[in-house]
Amino acid sequence: MLRFFTAGESHGKMLLAHLDGFPAGLTIDTTLIDRELARRQGGYGRGGRQKLEADTVEVLTGVWHGATLGSPIVLCVANQDDKLERMKEVERPRPGHGDLTGAIKYLGPIRGVLERASARETAARVAAGALAQQLLGEFGVTVFGYVTQLEQIAAPPHARTLTELRTLRDASPMYTLNPEADARIVARVDQATAAGDTLGGIVEVRAENLPFGLGSHTQWDRKLDGLLAQAVMSIQAIKGVEIGLGFEAARRPGSQVHDEIAYDETQANRPHLGYVRTTNNAGGLEAGMTNGQPLVVRAAMKPISTLRRPLNSINLRTKEPEAAAYERSDVCALAACSVIVENVVALTLAAAFIEKFGGDSLVEMKSRYAAFLELARQR
Ligand code: EPS
């Protein structure tokens, strides 16, 4: 069983990710983790904090001579802007942030809440997810996230090979797969910047080459769609999660929703074992289990709640009306969000992989994986 926690405040010394139950024997490449951390810091519309930080990972425990030991892994991302002890209390809660609610719940300072509620915490999740992607890579699984919409501007993905799509995404200022939409997206972010406003949008993640049978139909807390929704919904600023057709399925009759099944023996060596579908409206999940089709997860990000032109609020000490606090903020962190959702999905999939093929070591997982495929082809 893979367990995962993070620790750390936005302006504290560091962010930590703690992974327990990660199999032994995976040779890890920290440059791949650093690459994901750098991507998380990028994208058009990011604020001043990212100019101060240069996020890189330090592996504190659980690795020896470059390979995992099966013991707990602690990853550290140090904060350059480490000034928490000198920071003042905030008195004017921001609508949409955890400021007011957390201060009331914990009967304490707003500062104590916002430091942990901050999306800076996602650096730790991305570091852990980037490690999970390396485990999934051993089984040929790819996880790929991108932006599909900024506010009202749709940026539908182009259908190309994964390598071409990666090139397209990595050249895009907002990590879209649609260069035509990028110019309009950049102009809209510039407009929001001038107006002191913030913007959200929609991101999508596709995971390919997943085998049949991750997750389970047997119990609510083992269903992979539920686990993915929980993990993605818990990312800062996420307000909606869809799998496959998602909400669109509610607007169609069953005949236009469900993915008809055929069998093609010549494709028996593919992840779908030859059980081919002409559509993938289920987004790769049926009854809470992967069905051999690509997994498609979508998430809606609200605009960031720290506005340069602040919304109305109150002073929590005097209870008098005042504008909400503003320190500094991103205008749009949607590109970063696509990296975060990608890595959070990867972490959830790695946990499901370990549950299904589990074992203490990668060698054992691989042999169980191969044995399962052999049995499944005979089914
Ligand atoms: C973030 C760092 C934060 C914010 C942002 C995400 O840094 P600071 O608060 O010092 O500017 O830019 O967090 C929020 C959006 C938020 O509301 O707290 C990061 O590294 O991603």
Side-chain angles (χ1 to χ4, degrees):
M1 183 174 125
L2 183 67
R3 292 182 294 169
F4 163 68
F5 292 100
T6 68
E9 281 72 37
S10 179
H11 303 95
K13 287 188 183 358
M14 64 189 75
L15 296 153
L16 297 168
H18 181 148
L19 291 115
D20 189 72
F22 202 88
L26 177 75
T27 300
I28 68 166
D29 181 350
T30 55
T31 63
L32 295 177
I33 302 179
D34 289 345
R35 189 190 67 187
E36 291 301 285
L37 289 171
R39 288 208 309 119
R40 195 202 71 90
Q41 288 198 270
Y44 202 71
R46 287 294 251 163
R49 179 72 185 270
Q50 302 313 322
K51 295 191 181 78
L52 301 174
E53 302 294 339
D55 292 346
T56 51
V57 74
E58 191 186 347
V59 183
L60 298 185
T61 69
V63 172
W64 185 55
H65 290 180
T68 56
L69 293 170
S71 39
I73 297 173
V74 176
L75 305 175
C76 171
V77 179
N79 284 325
Q80 304 301 314
D81 204 17
D82 159 21
K83 59 180 183 194
L84 184 55
E85 289 304 326
R86 302 191 300 280
M87 290 189 98
K88 292 201 193 77
E89 168 59 335
V90 172
E91 295 192 325
R92 297 164 292 145
R94 291 161 294 174
H97 218 290
D99 301 353
L100 174 64
T101 330
I104 302 286
K105 175 175 165 62
Y106 287 91
L107 307 174
I110 288 177
R111 172 66 61 196
V113 175
L114 74 84
E115 284 289 330
R116 182 66 188 153
S118 164
R120 177 98 191 116
E121 182 263 350
T122 59
R125 295 205 222 189
V126 167
L131 187 64
Q133 291 215 43
Q134 292 179 44
L135 178 65
L136 294 169
E138 295 286 326
F139 300 89
V141 174
T142 55
V143 189
F144 179 64
Y146 43 87
V147 167
T148 60
Q149 184 156 333
L150 172 110
E151 198 194 32
Q152 306 286 337
I153 307 169
H158 284 275
R160 307 235 182 103
T161 67
L162 188 59
T163 314
E164 287 168 341
L165 290 177
R166 264 191 213 287
T167 310
L168 214 54
R169 180 193 70 183
D170 295 344
S172 162
M174 195 56 82
Y175 304 176
T176 76
L177 304 179
N178 190 319
E180 297 83 51
D182 281 345
R184 284 193 298 141
I185 283 176
V186 165
R188 180 66 190 105
V189 173
D190 288 344
Q191 204 179 40
T193 307
D197 216 334
T198 56
L199 297 170
I202 299 175
V203 304
E204 191 169 281
V205 172
R206 271 179 83 86
E208 312 241 358
N209 292 324
L210 290 167
F212 265 90
L214 302 183
S216 173
H217 68 293
T218 58
Q219 197 60 267
W220 68 271
D221 63 348
R222 295 184 62 200
K223 287 176 183 263
L224 189 58
D225 40 12
L227 293 166
L228 284 162
Q230 201 274 330
V232 174
M233 200 69 164
S234 74
I235 298 168
Q236 291 81 342
I238 297 299
K239 282 299 198 185
V241 180
E242 293 185 324
I243 289 171
L245 267 190
F247 273 56
E248 173 60 21
R251 292 187 272 268
R252 296 188 188 184
S255 56
Q256 288 172 43
V257 169
H258 302 296
D259 309 311
E260 291 183 313
I261 305 170
Y263 184 66
D264 174 4
E265 201 181 347
T266 65
Q267 297 192 52
N269 61 348
R270 301 272 309 275
H272 54 59
L273 307 174
Y275 299 101
V276 289
R277 313 287 182 108
T278 44
T279 54
N280 182 25
N281 292 333
L285 283 164
E286 286 170 315
M289 296 173 280
T290 50
N291 65 359
Q293 301 295 315
L295 176 78
V296 183
V297 181
R298 219 170 292 108
M301 182 194 197
K302 70 178 180 181
I304 280 168
S305 45
T306 312
L307 273 65
R308 196 162 51 76
R309 190 166 289 175
L311 298 172
N312 292 334
S313 184
I314 48 105
N315 184 308
L316 196 53
R317 192 170 38 82
T318 64
K319 315 290 190 243
E320 293 296 324
E322 271 185 51
Y326 176 77
E327 287 175 17
R328 78 181 152 209
S329 175
D330 306 299
V331 172
C332 180
L334 187 61
C337 182
S338 72
V339 181
I340 299 156
V341 177
E342 174 184 308
N343 283 290
V344 162
V345 166
L347 198 56
T348 310
L349 291 175
F353 241 90
I354 291 167
E355 194 202 324
K356 173 94 180 103
F357 304 110
D360 300 318
S361 65
L362 179 61
V363 188
E364 188 183 355
M365 269 181 94
K366 281 192 169 171
S367 86
R368 289 199 196 175
Y369 176 79
F372 172 71
L373 286 189
E374 194 47 44
L375 290 167
R377 280 194 197 99
Q378 291 162 23
R379 167 70 181 82

